[in-house]
Amino acid sequence: FFEKIPLFSERLSLPWRMSLRSMGRNRFRAAVTTLGVLFAVGMLVVSVFSRDSMDNLMVQHFGKEWRFDFKVGILNPVKEADLLSISNLPGVSVAEPIFELPVRFHFRSRSREDVLFAMHPGSALGRVIAFDGHELDFPEEGFYLDWYAAGILGADTGDDIEVETILGLGPPRRTTLRVVGISRKAFGSASSTSLAVANRLLNEQGTASGMVLKADPDSSETLEARLVDMINVSSVTSRQKEIAYLDKNLKYLYYSVGVMIIFSVILGFAIVFNASSLSFSERKRELASLRILGFTIGEVSSLLWKENLLLLCAGTILGLPFGKMLAEAYAAGVSTELFTFEAVIYPLTYALAAMGGGLFILIAYWLAVRGVRRLKPVEILKAND
């Protein structure tokens, strides 16, 4: 096929023509080798992408959603004015009220229990993350429905959903709210609205169930101790401790990544080594003839290398997008209502996967063609087929 293209065939040197012809004569082996490289490179992408996704997850959760240092939960909802004792503590630089309201969504014939997380629009310490990753403000009216709840309910932007409060204090109330968008939290499942809307659901005004605080770095430990000792405080969540806990558990992820990388390299190495060895064994007579004709060891070895190089390039080019497809399927499979795993792959990961594929190709090729130096052309040509 390539030799029928005039401009292409005229520029091809003899070694490249021989390599292409060898691939054409052994199409099945060439296809299997390409598939082997494709799967190996794809698995390398899947092995390393989890590091990128976890890094993105941490940035989204602690850099965009959680802009505060402490989240303080109150035993029972109180008026915002009653939270001044917390905001006036030494070391608190910014304090904003929040409301975490347990609700039950009803849409058509389906229902789903969730949490409405509410803050004032324009909040400096919290944001809503849209499904596509953009930062959003808390809405004046309506609410952002969590993507997991949206999937269960079959609801989308613009739908009117009946919201039932299940706080446990007072009778449950039902109100219809409009979905103004789909949100996606990194950890946990929660829909988002404004404090005014949350209060209206309860037929209240100016109430909150907690506060989020920005603390001075030098007084964080002292402030946390004071918050824990306060009478009406039910929970204190430290952003720094959450990050430390996740970092500690990520070490186990890196172990599994290492195991996957090892298996990926073994897979690619085995396939390429096997293909190179077969190619060398089948072409011993041809290579011996070239040696007698005056080809050097390097020139003879380059024939096999050019063939492997073409298969490596083809497998790598196809393996990188294949790895992305595997990563997206893996991310979708492990994402739950408590943990949203998104397939994020940095350019460095693609580069490392391609370099890793090239490395085991080189090693496998070198091991497979060591016999070129040990070729005995006269004995091989004398041997009967």
Side-chain angles (χ1 to χ4, degrees):
F1 170 77
F2 292 108
E3 293 179 7
K4 293 179 182 179
I5 305 174
L7 293 176
F8 184 78
S9 61
E10 291 173 2
R11 296 183 179 182
L12 276 181
S13 63
L14 179 61
W16 280 109
R17 288 186 184 184
M18 294 177 69
S19 298
L20 286 172
R21 288 173 181 173
S22 175
M23 291 170 57
R25 296 189 191 105
N26 300 279
R27 296 172 188 173
F28 180 76
R29 187 175 65 209
V32 170
T33 304
T34 303
L35 281 175
V37 177
L38 181 149
F39 278 105
V41 172
M43 286 181 62
L44 283 173
V45 173
V46 173
S47 302
V48 183
F49 100 98
S50 54
R51 180 198 60 183
D52 301 339
S53 294
M54 287 305 301
D55 179 64
N56 176 75
L57 203 66
M58 298 284 279
V59 170
Q60 177 179 317
H61 186 62
F62 295 107
K64 297 179 180 179
E65 294 178 25
W66 278 26
R67 299 183 176 185
F68 47 82
D69 295 319
F70 295 101
K71 184 173 75 171
V72 182
I74 307 299
L75 287 174
N76 296 305
V78 296
K79 295 295 182 180
E80 292 183 31
D82 297 334
L83 297 174
L84 290 175
S85 57
I86 296 177
S87 59
N88 290 331
L89 286 173
V92 176
S93 57
V94 183
E96 293 180 355
I98 62 171
F99 208 129
E100 294 179 293
L101 178 62
V103 295
R104 183 180 292 113
F105 296 131
H106 299 274
F107 183 69
R108 296 172 183 168
S109 60
R110 301 178 181 180
S111 63
R112 159 75 178 176
E113 291 188 1
D114 203 358
V115 174
L116 268 180
F117 184 83
M119 294 185 74
H120 286 303
S123 169
L125 299 183
R127 301 289 285 177
V128 181
I129 305 300
F131 188 79
D132 59 4
H134 288 90
E135 295 183 41
L136 302 169
D137 198 1
F138 288 87
E140 296 280 356
E141 295 294 334
F143 73 108
Y144 287 106
L145 180 63
D146 183 72
W147 72 279
Y148 198 84
I152 293 176
L153 296 172
D156 205 345
T157 303
D159 290 330
D160 293 322
I161 293 181
E162 188 177 42
V163 182
E164 177 188 4
T165 62
I166 50 175
L167 184 60
L169 297 175
R173 301 179 184 274
R174 291 189 176 218
T175 308
T176 299
L177 292 179
R178 175 155 294 182
V179 178
V180 297
I182 305 298
S183 61
R184 184 168 187 158
K185 290 180 67 65
F187 295 98
S189 172
S191 300
S192 304
T193 189
S194 64
L195 267 172
V197 172
N199 274 270
R200 196 160 63 239
L201 290 172
L202 295 170
N203 200 20
E204 294 282 350
Q205 285 186 346
T207 60
S209 66
M211 293 197 81
V212 288
L213 312 172
K214 192 74 175 176
D216 297 330
D218 298 334
S219 57
S220 293
E221 293 184 5
T222 304
L223 176 60
E224 184 178 3
R226 289 189 177 186
L227 290 171
V228 171
D229 290 337
M230 296 186 77
I231 297 175
N232 201 29
V233 171
S234 61
S235 64
V236 178
T237 304
S238 169
R239 178 177 180 270
Q240 196 60 40
K241 288 184 178 179
E242 289 288 316
I243 294 175
Y245 175 78
L246 287 171
D247 285 339
K248 179 182 177 181
N249 284 276
L250 282 178
K251 293 179 181 179
Y252 300 104
L253 173 66
Y254 296 145
Y255 293 145
S256 63
V257 167
V259 172
M260 289 180 66
I261 290 175
I262 291 172
F263 277 108
S264 303
V265 171
I266 291 174
L267 170 66
F269 176 84
I271 292 174
V272 174
F273 178 77
N274 185 54
S276 299
S277 298
L278 285 174
S279 178
F280 175 73
S281 298
E282 292 175 358
R283 299 170 67 183
K284 269 187 177 181
R285 193 177 186 87
E286 173 189 338
L287 299 177
S289 300
L290 292 175
R291 288 284 291 122
I292 290 177
L293 290 173
F295 278 64
T296 64
I297 292 176
E299 289 172 335
V300 172
S301 300
S302 70
L303 294 176
L304 297 175
W305 165 240
K306 286 180 172 62
E307 183 177 337
N308 280 283
L309 180 62
L310 292 172
L311 299 177
L312 166 64
C313 292
T316 302
I317 291 172
L318 296 174
L320 294 179
F322 177 71
K324 183 180 180 182
M325 291 172 56
L326 288 179
E328 290 174 347
Y330 175 79
V334 301
S335 293
T336 65
E337 59 181 320
L338 300 178
F339 181 79
T340 300
F341 202 67
E342 190 176 358
V344 176
I345 306 175
Y346 296 153
L348 179 62
T349 297
Y350 287 124
L352 290 175
M355 290 171 60
L359 181 62
F360 65 68
I361 288 283
L362 283 172
I363 296 174
Y365 162 78
W366 177 76
L367 291 175
V369 300
R370 285 183 301 173
V372 173
R373 295 184 177 275
R374 297 194 294 268
L375 277 177
K376 296 180 179 179
V378 177
E379 294 181 6
I380 293 174
L381 294 177
K382 282 182 178 180
N384 295 323
D385 291 334

